[in-house]
Amino acid sequence: MPPTAVLVDAYTSGNHLPPAFAKLGVDVVHVQSTPELMTSMRPPDLGAYREAVPHGTPEETAARLAEFAPICVIAGQEPGVPLADDLSERLGLPGNGTALSTARRDKYEMIEALRRAGVRCADQLKSGSSDTLVAWAEERGRYPVVVKPLSSAATDGVAICRNAEEVRKAADAVLGTVNIFGEHNDEVLLQSFLDGEEYMVDFVSYAGERYACGIWQYHKKLKDTHRIYHRDSITPPDSGTAREIIAYMHEALDALGIQYGPTHAEVIVTAEGPALVEVGARPSGGLLPDFHDRCLGANQGDVTALAYARPREFAEHYAGRTYRKVTEATLMFLDTELDGVVESIDEDVVAEIEALESVHTFVPKLAPGKRMRPTVDLYTATGSVHLYNRSADALGRDAARIQQLKDRVYRLRDDTGWTA
């Protein structure tokens, strides 16, 4: 029997892990942490797995997995982090353990873990009362502040508030709702605003040794109280900013007990230095292996599989090292002000975008029959485009053309008729 890796909740970018392990001769088994597969994310391709183990108690699941003698248990997406921690501990496998598992999912506990370790972080309060949150913001007397759910992702429910009225409105919009993972928002997190440039930072760790897979600077647009994703660009690994962020992330990951596996973090570089927005102990949602190989010289999925399947090779070739900037590149998220039902996709417009010199992959996110709404977060973006080009000018021209074409990808209908 070949060696086996266990993936928990391998939604969205977790789908890149089975082929990464397959290249190393490792089979994969899937575990889901919920009774039914979640519908808010791209589901795992269960055909890529030797077996799919249904939801059960941790004790039952660990007993079933022991039959495969797995080499590791990894979270493929955010909801699977606590169960992956639990199962790897029960099975005596390399993992981050359960002692700080809550701090790796609950954003309040995450920042408090950093504070206890003396790592730079935001001020914060959590509460189930919008009155309490407003009172804290007013007493603190420094706006803007940030309102967000405790355990969601992709800017779901995140609002930047400039006054007490906006804090109350944002908190009330989250309280009592369900996040994208089906979890109830009984409390809301309120944090001080971290002023500075924001970066996406991806690592792979094994036994405390780490490889920096990539640092991308976010370029976001402010829309009302929401900062929506627009595009990102590679931060040169030899820059002072990259070195400062990497040093900070070692401290943050240590404070959260993350010694193994892939991580995806957002960091803002303030006047005082880098400060963590949040980190997920799972692969980056933007992982696209071929694209990252071309742009950065390696990709997080393959490096993760190598670390668990062949730790010595990981230590020799990746531990203590960083990505390379091979070419200019960007990931664009398409936003819209349109509102209507998608009648069809204009394939000629799609073909024009895909034919642009710099375009690696274009993914329209909406199918016919789906509702398009004005973009307020990552989940209401209408599509994503990966671009790379050795010429920054050519890359910029192609990105500008995509902006001109983005609202023509879909043919919409609304209550008054057709909207192009």
Side-chain angles (χ1 to χ4, degrees):
M1 183 182 296
T4 301
V6 176
L7 308 181
V8 183
D9 290 343
Y11 297 90
T12 60
S13 56
N15 280 287
H16 297 301
L17 292 176
F21 278 106
K23 285 188 284 189
L24 301 174
V26 179
D27 282 356
V28 285
V29 169
H30 188 265
V31 171
Q32 63 189 61
S33 67
T34 52
E36 304 294 334
L37 287 172
M38 301 179 197
T39 58
S40 59
M41 297 174 285
R42 180 162 57 93
D45 175 13
L46 296 181
Y49 293 85
R50 181 198 295 179
E51 189 164 332
V53 176
H55 174 68
T57 67
E59 295 85 355
E60 293 168 340
T61 305
R64 179 71 184 91
L65 294 176
E67 300 173 15
F68 299 99
I71 61 172
C72 61
V73 180
I74 307 172
Q77 192 42 257
E78 199 72 27
V81 170
L83 183 55
D85 288 343
D86 190 321
L87 293 173
S88 60
E89 189 171 84
R90 288 176 185 274
L91 293 166
L93 298 172
N96 297 316
T98 58
L100 289 170
S101 196
T102 300
R104 295 191 280 270
R105 280 285 288 126
D106 183 299
K107 295 175 185 178
Y108 176 83
E109 297 297 335
M110 181 180 296
I111 298 304
E112 289 307 301
L114 266 60
R115 197 183 318 282
R116 289 191 296 270
V119 179
R120 187 183 303 107
C121 58
D123 297 331
Q124 63 176 5
L125 174 77
K126 68 172 179 177
S127 176
S129 164
S130 56
D131 288 340
T132 301
L133 296 168
V134 168
W136 184 83
E138 287 288 278
E139 182 180 354
R140 189 171 177 275
R142 293 195 297 277
Y143 288 97
V145 293
V146 181
V147 171
K148 62 175 70 172
L150 289 176
S151 301
S152 196
T155 65
D156 172 40
V158 178
I160 299 171
C161 304
R162 307 174 192 86
N163 53 53
E165 181 181 353
E166 289 185 356
V167 171
R168 185 180 302 279
K169 182 179 178 181
D172 287 341
V174 173
L175 284 169
T177 63
V178 175
N179 69 19
I180 59 173
F181 304 129
E183 301 161 336
H184 290 275
N185 292 316
D186 298 321
E187 292 183 299
V188 170
L189 179 59
L190 182 61
Q191 293 180 326
S192 58
F193 180 75
L194 298 171
D195 190 14
E197 298 296 336
E198 186 173 3
Y199 297 82
M200 172 178 70
V201 188
D202 297 331
F203 274 86
V204 172
S205 304
Y206 193 89
E209 296 292 327
R210 300 189 177 103
Y211 173 70
C213 302
I215 301 176
W216 298 73
Q217 182 177 350
Y218 284 137
H219 305 274
K220 294 184 177 182
K221 298 192 293 187
L222 184 62
K223 179 180 179 183
D224 298 325
T225 59
H226 302 282
R227 291 180 72 188
I228 59 174
Y229 289 91
H230 177 48
R231 64 179 180 86
D232 49 33
S233 57
I234 303 171
T235 301
D238 56 353
S239 66
T241 298
R243 288 194 294 268
E244 190 177 20
I245 290 172
I246 289 170
Y248 173 84
M249 281 305 303
H250 283 298
E251 294 181 6
L253 295 176
D254 285 343
L256 293 166
I258 298 176
Q259 303 296 310
Y260 289 90
T263 52
H264 171 68
E266 277 84 35
V267 172
I268 291 178
V269 178
T270 71
E272 292 74 33
L276 185 72
V277 177
E278 59 191 63
V279 60
R282 41 77 177 179
S284 169
L287 173 61
L288 193 61
D290 181 67
F291 176 74
H292 286 126
D293 285 344
R294 293 168 185 261
C295 301
L296 305 171
N299 73 83
Q300 191 183 41
D302 285 351
V303 176
T304 296
L306 183 70
Y308 283 103
R310 301 175 186 174
R312 289 183 181 178
E313 286 189 34
F314 169 79
E316 181 180 352
H317 297 291
Y318 291 98
R321 301 186 183 186
T322 67
Y323 62 97
R324 295 178 290 124
K325 182 178 178 180
V326 179
T327 185
E328 299 294 332
T330 189
L331 169 57
M332 296 177 62
F333 297 96
L334 307 185
D335 63 287
T336 188
E337 294 293 332
L338 300 180
D339 192 339
V341 177
V342 176
E343 178 68 20
S344 62
I345 294 176
D346 191 323
E347 297 297 343
D348 290 338
V349 176
V350 171
E352 182 175 348
I353 291 175
E354 292 178 335
L356 293 171
E357 176 189 354
S358 306
V359 171
H360 176 274
T361 306
F362 170 42
V363 180
K365 291 183 65 177
L366 299 173
K370 295 294 185 180
R371 182 68 179 265
M372 178 188 287
R373 301 183 186 279
T375 303
V376 295
D377 56 22
L378 191 57
Y379 276 82
T380 48
T382 61
S384 61
V385 192
H386 292 78
L387 306 93
Y388 71 96
N389 201 307
R390 293 193 178 278
S391 166
D393 290 340
L395 187 74
R397 286 195 301 270
D398 289 346
R401 181 57 179 157
I402 291 167
Q403 286 295 317
Q404 295 172 345
L405 294 171
K406 62 184 175 64
D407 281 337
R408 291 170 48 194
V409 171
Y410 302 98
R411 298 188 184 97
L412 304 182
R413 69 168 185 270
D414 58 23
D415 295 336
T416 62
W418 293 98
T419 303

PDB file of all heavy atoms in Angstrom, residues 216 234 289-298 323-330 387-389:
ATOM      1  N   TRP A 216       2.630  38.930  -1.650  1.00  0.00           N
ATOM      2  CA  TRP A 216       1.964  39.739  -2.668  1.00  0.00           C
ATOM      3  C   TRP A 216       1.352  40.958  -2.003  1.00  0.00           C
ATOM      4  O   TRP A 216       0.688  40.841  -0.968  1.00  0.00           O
ATOM      5  CB  TRP A 216       0.851  38.939  -3.345  1.00  0.00           C
ATOM      6  CG  TRP A 216       1.301  37.713  -4.067  1.00  0.00           C
ATOM      7  CD1 TRP A 216       1.720  36.533  -3.529  1.00  0.00           C
ATOM      8  CD2 TRP A 216       1.347  37.535  -5.487  1.00  0.00           C
ATOM      9  NE1 TRP A 216       2.026  35.636  -4.521  1.00  0.00           N
ATOM     10  CE2 TRP A 216       1.806  36.217  -5.739  1.00  0.00           C
ATOM     11  CE3 TRP A 216       1.037  38.361  -6.573  1.00  0.00           C
ATOM     12  CZ2 TRP A 216       1.955  35.705  -7.022  1.00  0.00           C
ATOM     13  CZ3 TRP A 216       1.186  37.854  -7.861  1.00  0.00           C
ATOM     14  CH2 TRP A 216       1.650  36.545  -8.077  1.00  0.00           C
ATOM     15  N   ILE A 234       3.562  41.009  -6.906  1.00  0.00           N
ATOM     16  CA  ILE A 234       4.630  40.334  -6.174  1.00  0.00           C
ATOM     17  C   ILE A 234       5.550  41.356  -5.506  1.00  0.00           C
ATOM     18  O   ILE A 234       5.982  42.327  -6.132  1.00  0.00           O
ATOM     19  CB  ILE A 234       5.468  39.449  -7.113  1.00  0.00           C
ATOM     20  CG1 ILE A 234       4.588  38.416  -7.824  1.00  0.00           C
ATOM     21  CG2 ILE A 234       6.580  38.741  -6.336  1.00  0.00           C
ATOM     22  CD1 ILE A 234       5.313  37.654  -8.923  1.00  0.00           C
ATOM     23  N   PRO A 289      -1.077  26.280  -8.905  1.00  0.00           N
ATOM     24  CA  PRO A 289       0.297  25.760  -8.980  1.00  0.00           C
ATOM     25  C   PRO A 289       1.093  26.169 -10.211  1.00  0.00           C
ATOM     26  O   PRO A 289       2.234  26.646 -10.081  1.00  0.00           O
ATOM     27  CB  PRO A 289       0.085  24.242  -8.906  1.00  0.00           C
ATOM     28  CG  PRO A 289      -1.134  24.097  -8.051  1.00  0.00           C
ATOM     29  CD  PRO A 289      -2.027  25.226  -8.476  1.00  0.00           C
ATOM     30  N   ASP A 290       0.550  25.992 -11.406  1.00  0.00           N
ATOM     31  CA  ASP A 290       1.324  26.312 -12.600  1.00  0.00           C
ATOM     32  C   ASP A 290       1.652  27.799 -12.656  1.00  0.00           C
ATOM     33  O   ASP A 290       2.780  28.190 -13.002  1.00  0.00           O
ATOM     34  CB  ASP A 290       0.550  25.904 -13.855  1.00  0.00           C
ATOM     35  CG  ASP A 290       1.313  26.202 -15.131  1.00  0.00           C
ATOM     36  OD1 ASP A 290       2.359  25.560 -15.359  1.00  0.00           O
ATOM     37  OD2 ASP A 290       0.883  27.100 -15.888  1.00  0.00           O
ATOM     38  N   PHE A 291       0.692  28.646 -12.292  1.00  0.00           N
ATOM     39  CA  PHE A 291       0.908  30.089 -12.287  1.00  0.00           C
ATOM     40  C   PHE A 291       2.008  30.470 -11.304  1.00  0.00           C
ATOM     41  O   PHE A 291       2.923  31.236 -11.628  1.00  0.00           O
ATOM     42  CB  PHE A 291      -0.407  30.795 -11.930  1.00  0.00           C
ATOM     43  CG  PHE A 291      -0.305  32.282 -11.796  1.00  0.00           C
ATOM     44  CD1 PHE A 291      -0.172  33.087 -12.922  1.00  0.00           C
ATOM     45  CD2 PHE A 291      -0.366  32.893 -10.556  1.00  0.00           C
ATOM     46  CE1 PHE A 291      -0.095  34.472 -12.808  1.00  0.00           C
ATOM     47  CE2 PHE A 291      -0.291  34.273 -10.427  1.00  0.00           C
ATOM     48  CZ  PHE A 291      -0.150  35.061 -11.560  1.00  0.00           C
ATOM     49  N   HIS A 292       1.943  29.922 -10.096  1.00  0.00           N
ATOM     50  CA  HIS A 292       2.951  30.265  -9.090  1.00  0.00           C
ATOM     51  C   HIS A 292       4.331  29.698  -9.445  1.00  0.00           C
ATOM     52  O   HIS A 292       5.356  30.329  -9.142  1.00  0.00           O
ATOM     53  CB  HIS A 292       2.496  29.786  -7.715  1.00  0.00           C
ATOM     54  CG  HIS A 292       1.404  30.626  -7.143  1.00  0.00           C
ATOM     55  ND1 HIS A 292       0.217  30.108  -6.705  1.00  0.00           N
ATOM     56  CD2 HIS A 292       1.304  31.966  -6.981  1.00  0.00           C
ATOM     57  CE1 HIS A 292      -0.562  31.087  -6.266  1.00  0.00           C
ATOM     58  NE2 HIS A 292       0.078  32.219  -6.435  1.00  0.00           N
ATOM     59  N   ASP A 293       4.370  28.538 -10.083  1.00  0.00           N
ATOM     60  CA  ASP A 293       5.659  28.019 -10.553  1.00  0.00           C
ATOM     61  C   ASP A 293       6.310  28.997 -11.530  1.00  0.00           C
ATOM     62  O   ASP A 293       7.525  29.252 -11.467  1.00  0.00           O
ATOM     63  CB  ASP A 293       5.469  26.669 -11.242  1.00  0.00           C
ATOM     64  CG  ASP A 293       5.214  25.535 -10.272  1.00  0.00           C
ATOM     65  OD1 ASP A 293       5.468  25.710  -9.062  1.00  0.00           O
ATOM     66  OD2 ASP A 293       4.749  24.467 -10.719  1.00  0.00           O
ATOM     67  N   ARG A 294       5.496  29.554 -12.431  1.00  0.00           N
ATOM     68  CA  ARG A 294       6.017  30.469 -13.441  1.00  0.00           C
ATOM     69  C   ARG A 294       6.444  31.803 -12.831  1.00  0.00           C
ATOM     70  O   ARG A 294       7.387  32.433 -13.310  1.00  0.00           O
ATOM     71  CB  ARG A 294       4.961  30.720 -14.520  1.00  0.00           C
ATOM     72  CG  ARG A 294       4.636  29.503 -15.378  1.00  0.00           C
ATOM     73  CD  ARG A 294       3.397  29.758 -16.215  1.00  0.00           C
ATOM     74  NE  ARG A 294       2.978  28.566 -16.956  1.00  0.00           N
ATOM     75  CZ  ARG A 294       3.253  28.331 -18.235  1.00  0.00           C
ATOM     76  NH1 ARG A 294       3.977  29.215 -18.913  1.00  0.00           N
ATOM     77  NH2 ARG A 294       2.830  27.239 -18.834  1.00  0.00           N
ATOM     78  N   CYS A 295       5.734  32.244 -11.795  1.00  0.00           N
ATOM     79  CA  CYS A 295       5.984  33.566 -11.226  1.00  0.00           C
ATOM     80  C   CYS A 295       6.981  33.555 -10.069  1.00  0.00           C
ATOM     81  O   CYS A 295       7.745  34.511  -9.894  1.00  0.00           O
ATOM     82  CB  CYS A 295       4.673  34.168 -10.707  1.00  0.00           C
ATOM     83  SG  CYS A 295       3.416  34.355 -11.969  1.00  0.00           S
ATOM     84  N   LEU A 296       6.951  32.473  -9.264  1.00  0.00           N
ATOM     85  CA  LEU A 296       7.690  32.450  -8.006  1.00  0.00           C
ATOM     86  C   LEU A 296       8.723  31.334  -7.924  1.00  0.00           C
ATOM     87  O   LEU A 296       9.463  31.245  -6.949  1.00  0.00           O
ATOM     88  CB  LEU A 296       6.709  32.306  -6.832  1.00  0.00           C
ATOM     89  CG  LEU A 296       5.589  33.337  -6.757  1.00  0.00           C
ATOM     90  CD1 LEU A 296       4.586  32.948  -5.688  1.00  0.00           C
ATOM     91  CD2 LEU A 296       6.153  34.725  -6.479  1.00  0.00           C
ATOM     92  N   GLY A 297       8.741  30.442  -8.918  1.00  0.00           N
ATOM     93  CA  GLY A 297       9.707  29.358  -8.922  1.00  0.00           C
ATOM     94  C   GLY A 297       9.278  28.109  -8.190  1.00  0.00           C
ATOM     95  O   GLY A 297       9.954  27.079  -8.254  1.00  0.00           O
ATOM     96  N   ALA A 298       8.150  28.143  -7.490  1.00  0.00           N
ATOM     97  CA  ALA A 298       7.601  26.990  -6.768  1.00  0.00           C
ATOM     98  C   ALA A 298       6.184  27.345  -6.369  1.00  0.00           C
ATOM     99  O   ALA A 298       5.747  28.487  -6.529  1.00  0.00           O
ATOM    100  CB  ALA A 298       8.442  26.642  -5.540  1.00  0.00           C
ATOM    101  N   TYR A 323      10.841  32.476  -1.878  1.00  0.00           N
ATOM    102  CA  TYR A 323      10.442  32.471  -3.281  1.00  0.00           C
ATOM    103  C   TYR A 323      11.370  33.358  -4.115  1.00  0.00           C
ATOM    104  O   TYR A 323      12.137  34.168  -3.593  1.00  0.00           O
ATOM    105  CB  TYR A 323       8.999  32.974  -3.406  1.00  0.00           C
ATOM    106  CG  TYR A 323       8.820  34.408  -2.936  1.00  0.00           C
ATOM    107  CD1 TYR A 323       8.815  35.470  -3.844  1.00  0.00           C
ATOM    108  CD2 TYR A 323       8.667  34.718  -1.575  1.00  0.00           C
ATOM    109  CE1 TYR A 323       8.674  36.787  -3.419  1.00  0.00           C
ATOM    110  CE2 TYR A 323       8.527  36.025  -1.146  1.00  0.00           C
ATOM    111  CZ  TYR A 323       8.528  37.055  -2.066  1.00  0.00           C
ATOM    112  OH  TYR A 323       8.395  38.348  -1.654  1.00  0.00           O
ATOM    113  N   ARG A 324      11.255  33.231  -5.428  1.00  0.00           N
ATOM    114  CA  ARG A 324      11.936  34.143  -6.361  1.00  0.00           C
ATOM    115  C   ARG A 324      10.883  34.939  -7.123  1.00  0.00           C
ATOM    116  O   ARG A 324       9.771  34.464  -7.316  1.00  0.00           O
ATOM    117  CB  ARG A 324      12.785  33.358  -7.376  1.00  0.00           C
ATOM    118  CG  ARG A 324      13.934  32.592  -6.752  1.00  0.00           C
ATOM    119  CD  ARG A 324      14.701  31.817  -7.793  1.00  0.00           C
ATOM    120  NE  ARG A 324      13.950  30.687  -8.328  1.00  0.00           N
ATOM    121  CZ  ARG A 324      13.683  30.483  -9.609  1.00  0.00           C
ATOM    122  NH1 ARG A 324      14.091  31.366 -10.519  1.00  0.00           N
ATOM    123  NH2 ARG A 324      13.024  29.417 -10.008  1.00  0.00           N
ATOM    124  N   LYS A 325      11.212  36.144  -7.544  1.00  0.00           N
ATOM    125  CA  LYS A 325      10.343  36.880  -8.456  1.00  0.00           C
ATOM    126  C   LYS A 325      10.845  36.633  -9.864  1.00  0.00           C
ATOM    127  O   LYS A 325      11.812  37.244 -10.313  1.00  0.00           O
ATOM    128  CB  LYS A 325      10.330  38.373  -8.144  1.00  0.00           C
ATOM    129  CG  LYS A 325       9.373  39.146  -9.062  1.00  0.00           C
ATOM    130  CD  LYS A 325       9.313  40.623  -8.732  1.00  0.00           C
ATOM    131  CE  LYS A 325       8.379  41.325  -9.705  1.00  0.00           C
ATOM    132  NZ  LYS A 325       8.277  42.782  -9.437  1.00  0.00           N
ATOM    133  N   VAL A 326      10.176  35.706 -10.552  1.00  0.00           N
ATOM    134  CA  VAL A 326      10.632  35.285 -11.871  1.00  0.00           C
ATOM    135  C   VAL A 326      10.159  36.246 -12.952  1.00  0.00           C
ATOM    136  O   VAL A 326      10.849  36.479 -13.948  1.00  0.00           O
ATOM    137  CB  VAL A 326      10.124  33.856 -12.174  1.00  0.00           C
ATOM    138  CG1 VAL A 326      10.572  33.388 -13.558  1.00  0.00           C
ATOM    139  CG2 VAL A 326      10.614  32.881 -11.100  1.00  0.00           C
ATOM    140  N   THR A 327       8.974  36.831 -12.761  1.00  0.00           N
ATOM    141  CA  THR A 327       8.384  37.704 -13.765  1.00  0.00           C
ATOM    142  C   THR A 327       7.403  38.643 -13.091  1.00  0.00           C
ATOM    143  O   THR A 327       7.079  38.481 -11.907  1.00  0.00           O
ATOM    144  CB  THR A 327       7.667  36.864 -14.843  1.00  0.00           C
ATOM    145  OG1 THR A 327       7.191  37.712 -15.885  1.00  0.00           O
ATOM    146  CG2 THR A 327       6.487  36.095 -14.251  1.00  0.00           C
ATOM    147  N   GLU A 328       6.930  39.641 -13.823  1.00  0.00           N
ATOM    148  CA  GLU A 328       5.853  40.487 -13.314  1.00  0.00           C
ATOM    149  C   GLU A 328       4.552  39.682 -13.341  1.00  0.00           C
ATOM    150  O   GLU A 328       4.322  38.892 -14.260  1.00  0.00           O
ATOM    151  CB  GLU A 328       5.683  41.745 -14.175  1.00  0.00           C
ATOM    152  CG  GLU A 328       6.909  42.637 -14.234  1.00  0.00           C
ATOM    153  CD  GLU A 328       7.229  43.258 -12.890  1.00  0.00           C
ATOM    154  OE1 GLU A 328       6.293  43.455 -12.085  1.00  0.00           O
ATOM    155  OE2 GLU A 328       8.419  43.532 -12.639  1.00  0.00           O
ATOM    156  N   ALA A 329       3.715  39.877 -12.351  1.00  0.00           N
ATOM    157  CA  ALA A 329       2.477  39.105 -12.297  1.00  0.00           C
ATOM    158  C   ALA A 329       1.451  39.827 -11.445  1.00  0.00           C
ATOM    159  O   ALA A 329       1.788  40.657 -10.595  1.00  0.00           O
ATOM    160  CB  ALA A 329       2.743  37.710 -11.723  1.00  0.00           C
ATOM    161  N   THR A 330       0.195  39.489 -11.664  1.00  0.00           N
ATOM    162  CA  THR A 330      -0.879  40.025 -10.842  1.00  0.00           C
ATOM    163  C   THR A 330      -2.066  39.078 -10.872  1.00  0.00           C
ATOM    164  O   THR A 330      -2.252  38.314 -11.832  1.00  0.00           O
ATOM    165  CB  THR A 330      -1.319  41.430 -11.317  1.00  0.00           C
ATOM    166  OG1 THR A 330      -2.213  41.997 -10.364  1.00  0.00           O
ATOM    167  CG2 THR A 330      -2.034  41.353 -12.655  1.00  0.00           C
ATOM    168  N   LEU A 387      -2.520  36.942 -14.358  1.00  0.00           N
ATOM    169  CA  LEU A 387      -1.724  37.462 -15.465  1.00  0.00           C
ATOM    170  C   LEU A 387      -0.245  37.457 -15.107  1.00  0.00           C
ATOM    171  O   LEU A 387       0.119  37.705 -13.955  1.00  0.00           O
ATOM    172  CB  LEU A 387      -2.126  38.904 -15.813  1.00  0.00           C
ATOM    173  CG  LEU A 387      -3.586  39.223 -16.125  1.00  0.00           C
ATOM    174  CD1 LEU A 387      -4.308  39.678 -14.877  1.00  0.00           C
ATOM    175  CD2 LEU A 387      -3.671  40.306 -17.194  1.00  0.00           C
ATOM    176  N   TYR A 388       0.605  37.192 -16.093  1.00  0.00           N
ATOM    177  CA  TYR A 388       2.046  37.362 -15.891  1.00  0.00           C
ATOM    178  C   TYR A 388       2.677  37.783 -17.213  1.00  0.00           C
ATOM    179  O   TYR A 388       2.191  37.437 -18.302  1.00  0.00           O
ATOM    180  CB  TYR A 388       2.696  36.080 -15.366  1.00  0.00           C
ATOM    181  CG  TYR A 388       2.796  34.952 -16.364  1.00  0.00           C
ATOM    182  CD1 TYR A 388       3.971  34.737 -17.096  1.00  0.00           C
ATOM    183  CD2 TYR A 388       1.723  34.099 -16.588  1.00  0.00           C
ATOM    184  CE1 TYR A 388       4.071  33.712 -18.010  1.00  0.00           C
ATOM    185  CE2 TYR A 388       1.810  33.066 -17.502  1.00  0.00           C
ATOM    186  CZ  TYR A 388       2.983  32.874 -18.211  1.00  0.00           C
ATOM    187  OH  TYR A 388       3.069  31.855 -19.133  1.00  0.00           O
ATOM    188  N   ASN A 389       3.760  38.547 -17.121  1.00  0.00           N
ATOM    189  CA  ASN A 389       4.433  39.039 -18.316  1.00  0.00           C
ATOM    190  C   ASN A 389       5.775  39.609 -17.889  1.00  0.00           C
ATOM    191  O   ASN A 389       5.874  40.245 -16.834  1.00  0.00           O
ATOM    192  CB  ASN A 389       3.595  40.126 -18.992  1.00  0.00           C
ATOM    193  CG  ASN A 389       3.956  40.315 -20.452  1.00  0.00           C
ATOM    194  OD1 ASN A 389       5.126  40.517 -20.792  1.00  0.00           O
ATOM    195  ND2 ASN A 389       2.955  40.255 -21.318  1.00  0.00           N
TER     196      ASN A 389
END
